[in-house]
């Protein structure tokens, strides 16, 4: 590693590295997790799945992501952050390709789990690499730029996948998965120079396991709890908002571009929220993000009008990935560097646990007489609760 080059890691080089490393999140999460919503119906009709099987396939991805975030601290301490990201990106890309080549349900279930596991390694490991660059350069880490990756993947898949599946091109769902997997491997090639140059020695933890003490978690418990509640609330919206719009007979064109627009706003949102988080601090920033998300989730129900749908997509898309920026900034601000990867991984694991519960809880509520509108209200309420949880901790420096 380039341990003798700290002075050469300029702020510009750091930004370029964060931008290219964000491609890992674009492929592993934007393609791997979120593109499934676009391919669910073709897969279900082709393979004869029930809706329960369709849901189980994506639950496997969430379980894999949770497992990846739980072990990423150990992986980084043993392998280094750069090798962890390489491993996760390779696993995510190959599992997407295999998803397009396999049809037995148990094997597809396994591929979705492996894709989620790789995504957990990529997302947290990549953030650790960005933090390593910032520690050497002395500049604030461009976490907002890095965390825009999944939004970019959502936008690309939302614009491209429907075209590939449409009557003009008529691709099969298998061909789409293979293409997304190949795109993930291409992203890995673009990331490689910056992974190779990553100053891994900066954290001083490589080669041994660094377990964060309980005191670390007590310092940041309001943010950890809010992050878990956020996972529950955000995934309820992301899972059911399209179904809700369709249930109230929103225009087909509006529904078609809703996902793409949300992804574009997500890709841009990090650049808007990151300076505010840096200026106000992670906890006030998290409270504002949760308030914005709660408002976005409630808008389609409280004001069912095309303008409110557009505003909801823009506000939610532009805010939801920045919660991770606030959480990572909190860890960086309050904890020693050798614990960043482990604690960030555990914070994301709590988020992933909330994300596992979210669709089931929201779906159960949506089955009540109030229907999908009640489920959307639950999502908005959960996000509002996350904002309230952070407020007491804002007094602590």
């Amino acid at each position: 590693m380039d341990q003798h080059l700290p002075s050469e890691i300029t702020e510009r080089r750091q930004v370029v590295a964060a931008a290219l490393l964000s491609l890992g999140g674009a492929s592993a999460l934007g393609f791997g997790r979120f593109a499934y919503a676009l391919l669910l119906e073709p897969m279900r009709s082709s393979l004869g799945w029930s809706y329960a099987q369709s849901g189980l396939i994506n639950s496997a991805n969430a379980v894999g992501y949770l497992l990846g975030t739980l072990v990423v601290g150990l992986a980084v301490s043993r392998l280094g952050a750069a090798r962890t990201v390489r491993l996760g990106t390779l696993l995510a890309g190959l599992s997407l390709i295999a998803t397009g080549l396999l049809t037995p349900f148990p094997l597809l279930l396994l591929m979705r789990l492996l894709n989620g596991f790789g995504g957990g390694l990529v997302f947290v490991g990549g953030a650790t690499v960005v933090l390593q660059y910032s520690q050497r350069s002395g500049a604030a880490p461009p976490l907002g730029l890095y965390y825009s990756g999944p939004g970019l993947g959502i936008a690309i898949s939302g614009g491209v996948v429907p075209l590939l599946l449409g009557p003009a091109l008529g691709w099969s769902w298998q061909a789409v998965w293979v293409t997304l997997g190949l795109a993930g491997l291409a992203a890995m090639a673009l990331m490689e120079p910056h992974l190779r140059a990553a100053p891994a020695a900066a954290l001083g933890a490589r080669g041994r396991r660094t377990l964060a003490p309980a005191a670390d978690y007590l310092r940041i418990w309001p943010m950890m709890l809010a992050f878990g509640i956020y996972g529950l609330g955000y995934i309820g919206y992301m899972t059911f908002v399209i179904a809700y719009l369709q249930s109230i007979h929103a225009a087909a064109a509006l529904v078609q571009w809703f996902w793409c627009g949300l992804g574009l706003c997500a890709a841009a949102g990090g650049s808007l929220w990151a300076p505010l988080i840096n200026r106000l601090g992670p906890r006030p920033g998290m409270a504002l993000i949760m308030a914005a998300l709660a408002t976005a989730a409630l808008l389609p129900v409280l004001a069912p009008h095309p303008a409110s749908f557009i505003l909801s997509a823009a506000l939610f898309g532009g805010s939801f990935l920045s919660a991770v920026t606030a959480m990572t900034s909190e860890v960086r601000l309050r904890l020693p560097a050798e614990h960043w990867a482990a604690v960030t991984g555990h914070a994301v694991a709590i988020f992933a646990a909330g994300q596992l519960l979210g669709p089931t809880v929201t779906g159960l509520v949506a089955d009540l007489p109030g229907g999908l509108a009640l489920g959307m209200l639950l999502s908005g309420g959960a996000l509002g609760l996350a904002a309230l949880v952070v407020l007491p901790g804002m007094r602590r420096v």
Side-chain angles (χ1 to χ4, degrees), residues 136-292:
R136 283 289 187 90
S137 71
L143 290 170
L145 178 60
Y146 170 73
Y147 286 131
S148 70
L152 178 63
I154 292 171
I156 293 172
S157 61
V160 173
V161 171
L163 294 177
L164 297 178
L165 294 172
L169 296 176
W171 283 31
S172 66
W173 61 264
Q174 292 97 329
V176 174
W177 277 125
V178 170
T179 300
L180 293 176
L182 292 174
L185 296 182
M188 182 179 177
L190 292 173
M191 294 159 57
E192 178 56 29
H194 298 281
L195 291 174
R196 194 183 308 121
L203 295 185
R206 187 172 176 180
R208 69 180 191 274
R209 186 174 183 178
T210 55
L211 293 176
D216 281 1
Y217 299 95
L218 290 175
R219 289 190 190 101
I220 62 172
W221 74 263
M223 289 284 282
M224 298 276 276
L225 179 58
F227 205 44
I229 300 171
Y230 153 71
L232 188 150
Y234 115 90
I235 198 63
Y237 175 95
M238 291 290 281
T239 301
F240 291 105
V241 65
I242 295 296
Y244 171 75
L245 293 178
Q246 292 171 334
S247 73
I248 61 173
H249 308 294
L254 177 63
V255 175
Q256 179 181 358
W257 289 105
F258 186 93
W259 194 256
C260 184
L262 188 149
L264 288 172
C265 291
S271 299
L272 301 176
W273 277 105
L276 189 62
I277 293 169
N278 289 335
R279 184 162 61 250
L280 298 179
R283 296 186 185 187
M286 178 70 94
L288 288 175
I289 291 167
M290 292 301 108

Side-chain angles (χ1 to χ4, degrees), residues 70-387:
L70 286 172
V71 305
V72 69
L74 177 60
V76 168
S77 68
R78 294 289 177 86
L79 304 176
R83 287 182 180 175
T84 299
V85 173
R86 284 192 196 99
L87 174 63
T89 308
L90 183 64
L91 188 59
L94 292 178
S95 63
L96 289 183
I97 293 173
T99 300
L101 301 177
L102 302 171
T103 54
F105 184 78
L107 291 179
L108 288 174
L109 205 65
L110 177 62
M111 290 306 105
R112 294 300 292 159
L113 187 144
L114 291 176
N115 180 265
F117 185 81
L121 296 182
V122 169
F123 202 50
V124 180
T128 304
V129 174
V130 173
L131 291 175
Q132 289 171 346
Y133 270 102
S134 71
Q135 196 178 40
R136 283 289 187 90
S137 71
L143 290 170
L145 178 60
Y146 170 73
Y147 286 131
S148 70
L152 178 63
I154 292 171
I156 293 172
S157 61
V160 173
V161 171
L163 294 177
L164 297 178
L165 294 172
L169 296 176
W171 283 31
S172 66
W173 61 264
Q174 292 97 329
V176 174
W177 277 125
V178 170
T179 300
L180 293 176
L182 292 174
L185 296 182
M188 182 179 177
L190 292 173
M191 294 159 57
E192 178 56 29
H194 298 281
L195 291 174
R196 194 183 308 121
L203 295 185
R206 187 172 176 180
R208 69 180 191 274
R209 186 174 183 178
T210 55
L211 293 176
D216 281 1
Y217 299 95
L218 290 175
R219 289 190 190 101
I220 62 172
W221 74 263
M223 289 284 282
M224 298 276 276
L225 179 58
F227 205 44
I229 300 171
Y230 153 71
L232 188 150
Y234 115 90
I235 198 63
Y237 175 95
M238 291 290 281
T239 301
F240 291 105
V241 65
I242 295 296
Y244 171 75
L245 293 178
Q246 292 171 334
S247 73
I248 61 173
H249 308 294
L254 177 63
V255 175
Q256 179 181 358
W257 289 105
F258 186 93
W259 194 256
C260 184
L262 188 149
L264 288 172
C265 291
S271 299
L272 301 176
W273 277 105
L276 189 62
I277 293 169
N278 289 335
R279 184 162 61 250
L280 298 179
R283 296 186 185 187
M286 178 70 94
L288 288 175
I289 291 167
M290 292 301 108
L293 291 173
T295 302
L298 296 173
L299 268 174
V301 179
L302 301 181
H305 185 276
S308 76
F309 303 155
I310 294 170
L311 180 58
S312 175
L315 190 57
F316 200 96
S319 304
F320 84 98
L321 292 175
S322 295
V324 193
T325 304
M327 186 70 245
T328 309
S329 298
E330 172 84 350
V331 171
R332 179 178 181 268
L333 176 67
R334 297 179 186 273
L335 305 183
E338 61 267 21
H339 298 159
W340 286 349
V343 176
T344 300
H346 293 157
V348 177
I350 291 172
F351 156 79
Q355 186 175 245
L356 274 172
L357 294 173
T360 301
V361 173
T362 307
L364 288 172
V365 171
D367 283 334
L368 298 174
L372 285 168
L374 193 59
M376 294 287 288
L377 291 174
L378 174 67
S379 294
L383 292 163
L385 176 62

